[in-house]
Amino acid sequence: MTAGLVAALVVACAVVAVGVFGATWRRDVSAAVATIPVMFAGACLAFVGVARFAAAGGTHLLGQEFAVLLVVAAVALVALGLGIAGREGNR
Amino acid sequence: MDSLHATGFYVSSGVLLIGALAVALLPGREQRGAGLLAVGLGLAGACYSLSAGFAGAVAFVCYAGCAVMVAGPRYRSIAGTAGVAWRQAGALGAALVLAVLVYSSWRGNFVSAPFKGGPFNAVALGRLLFAHDVVATEAIALFGLLAIVGAAAGWRFRERTR
């Protein structure tokens, strides 16, 4: 058994699509905000897969670096979205 | 990639997909929080299988934080204003996105190269984040700070108006 770049990209695409589906299908805005990290997870997996399998010589870790920045941005987006929802939910 | 890492990658991918479906479909906030935790666990396992242990550890911590925020008592739900037709169009768009992305991934002709990094890569990533691309790191840090301040202000405003 082995796994390559195509397997990583297919899983990443599926995760992004599930995130897009949740963000558009949910009637609750807060629940839709919670699906944003799911989309980011798919993007992270794609970046890490490219850094692992398609790095042209040497240790090119830019994909891993971008994945780290993406997950931090996902946490910030969820905090901001839920904070705004908490503020608006009382009006 | 050897068989053990490949097995770990596929198992972690399954956990990741189940968690993503739970976040997208389950009704309760506690269930969505558990789904986000499963997403973090699956993403961390997949990253570790792909020789990105440090990125996986950061992802697990961040998604655990997201799960706590989503499942916590300060969560408030707001009804959206989009109609059923727009939501159905969005779901069809998600299916279209999946089809296009999977087709392009499956049919793509990628250059494959051997990976010479270690399994964790914390030192190399630290050099990239804090020396080579420090402006991007500081931009994300500033965005995170502003988001946390905004979230705290929003929650505080709600507490005051009770």
Side-chain angles (χ1 to χ4, degrees), chain A residues 24-45:
Chain A
T24 55
W25 184 253
R26 283 285 185 183
R27 191 174 293 170
D28 180 8
V29 176
S30 301
V33 166
T35 59
I36 291 175
V38 175
M39 285 186 268
F40 278 38
C44 286
L45 189 59

Side-chain angles (χ1 to χ4, degrees), chain A residues 26-27 29-30 37 55 65 86, chain B residues 26 63 76 78 80 113 133 158:
Chain A
R26 283 285 185 183
R27 191 174 293 170
V29 176
S30 301
E65 179 197 19
Chain B
L26 290 183
Y63 278 82
R76 294 289 180 274
I78 299 177
D133 297 326
R158 181 176 57 80

Side-chain angles (χ1 to χ4, degrees), chain B residues 69-111:
Chain B
M69 282 189 283
V70 168
R74 289 177 178 270
Y75 181 90
R76 294 289 180 274
S77 60
I78 299 177
T81 56
V84 177
W86 283 110
R87 289 168 50 219
Q88 287 177 344
L92 283 175
L96 193 63
V97 164
L98 176 63
V100 170
L101 290 178
V102 166
Y103 180 78
S104 58
S105 304
W106 193 261
R107 299 289 296 174
N109 190 12
F110 302 105
V111 176

